[in-house]
Amino acid sequence: MCARDDIYVGRIRYSIVTNVISMCTLIPALLIFSHYKQLSSVSRIRLHKHLFTSLFFHAFISSLLKWHLLSAGEQHTRTSQVLTSLCLILSVLLRYFRSTTYLWMFNEALYLHQLIKHAFTQPPLTPLIILAYILPATTTLTYIIIRAITDGVTISPANDLIAISSMSKNLSHAMGGSRNSFNVSLNDTYLEKLMEVIEEYEDVSPIVEEDKCWLMPSPNTWLEWVINAPNLAILIMQQMVENI
């Protein structure tokens, strides 16, 4: 949140471009899997379709949210509350599809393991589908409830930035007055350097001015582990399954 605007905007645009490239490669793959009946009937291909669909929605929602960040400095209108609600929904969906992606990667490893273990039987896909969609929904819903409660009593870092900005402005004015009152040549260079730093950061970027959409991680860092811990555990389990 303390990054320079030009660097931060450049990273956002880079992220949008990479997400668009991902979508452009995922769409043909999904069309091929859906068009040929021979492929659609194969269970492994069905797992691939679920994984690619999850990746597509993650890239699509991420692009919309990054685009929202670029347009965060626009004037508020009567529809701003609707846009904020839509942004919040997209932010929650982004976390959900990120978790489903981890689950589908795990399901593919688990399915291949079951094929090797039971060579003459077809492992069922229904339990894997239920697991991949219900578990992320549970962790995401838990995250929503806890963050909605904690955000009501926690000071946002954006508010701290705004407060620091106001203090820096007052400090710069006071320093300017003191420099005019006291002509101390030894401190002129120091004061000028310090005022340049203050003036550089005294305007808070509209990108990080307010985080009503939960685009940034929660100020309570432990809360992010409600989603990240299951994802990390799934990665570990996937490695264990692949090495068996």
Side-chain angles (χ1 to χ4, degrees):
M1 294 177 66
C2 59
R4 279 172 40 193
D5 282 353
D6 55 343
I7 297 177
Y8 195 50
V9 169
R11 291 176 179 175
I12 293 175
R13 290 173 177 170
Y14 176 79
S15 178
I16 293 176
V17 170
T18 54
N19 283 324
V20 170
I21 294 175
S22 296
M23 288 186 287
C24 290
T25 54
L26 287 168
I27 290 175
L30 288 171
L31 291 177
I32 292 173
F33 287 159
S34 301
H35 181 265
Y36 294 99
K37 301 298 182 181
Q38 296 88 343
L39 295 177
S40 300
S41 60
V42 179
S43 297
R44 284 185 59 192
I45 300 301
R46 292 175 60 188
L47 291 177
H48 290 338
K49 288 174 62 177
H50 282 286
L51 174 60
F52 287 3
T53 302
S54 180
L55 288 171
F56 174 82
F57 279 109
H58 182 272
F60 178 71
I61 294 172
S62 179
S63 298
L64 290 180
L65 287 175
K66 297 299 174 57
W67 185 264
H68 173 81
L69 282 177
L70 291 180
S71 59
E74 297 180 356
Q75 294 181 352
H76 296 284
T77 62
R78 295 184 64 181
T79 60
S80 60
Q81 292 184 352
V82 177
L83 294 176
T84 300
S85 300
L86 178 61
C87 173
L88 182 59
I89 293 173
L90 291 176
S91 178
V92 171
L93 288 176
L94 181 66
R95 290 174 167 84
Y96 171 75
F97 282 109
R98 183 185 301 149
S99 297
T100 58
T101 301
Y102 285 105
L103 259 299
W104 282 116
M105 289 190 294
F106 170 76
N107 283 345
E108 290 204 352
L110 181 61
Y111 183 80
L112 290 177
H113 176 266
Q114 292 298 316
L115 282 179
I116 296 174
K117 186 177 180 181
H118 306 284
F120 301 101
T121 59
Q122 189 77 3
L125 292 182
T126 302
L128 300 181
I129 295 175
I130 295 175
L131 175 67
Y133 289 116
I134 297 300
L135 181 59
T138 303
T139 56
T140 305
L141 181 61
T142 304
Y143 177 88
I144 294 172
I145 295 174
I146 298 177
R147 181 154 187 178
I149 296 174
T150 56
D151 276 12
V153 296
T154 303
I155 299 177
S156 172
N159 294 333
D160 294 340
L161 285 176
I162 295 172
I164 293 172
S165 171
S166 177
M167 292 175 61
S168 67
K169 290 180 180 180
N170 295 332
L171 180 59
S172 63
H173 289 309
M175 289 176 60
S178 63
R179 187 175 60 174
N180 293 331
S181 302
F182 303 98
N183 187 15
V184 183
S185 58
L186 293 178
N187 292 333
D188 279 350
T189 303
Y190 170 77
L191 290 175
E192 289 177 358
K193 294 290 185 181
L194 186 57
M195 289 181 67
E196 288 176 0
V197 174
I198 292 174
E199 290 173 358
E200 182 180 356
Y201 292 100
E202 67 181 2
D203 293 324
V204 179
S205 169
I207 292 178
V208 297
E209 184 176 354
E210 210 165 358
D211 189 20
K212 294 182 179 179
C213 298
W214 296 353
L215 300 176
M216 304 293 180
S218 172
N220 301 306
T221 54
W222 59 268
L223 180 56
E224 296 300 319
W225 285 99
V226 173
I227 293 180
N228 292 336
N231 292 342
L232 181 61
I234 290 167
L235 282 178
I236 296 174
M237 292 169 57
Q238 177 184 348
Q239 293 297 320
M240 293 174 61
V241 170
E242 290 177 352
N243 292 330
I244 294 178

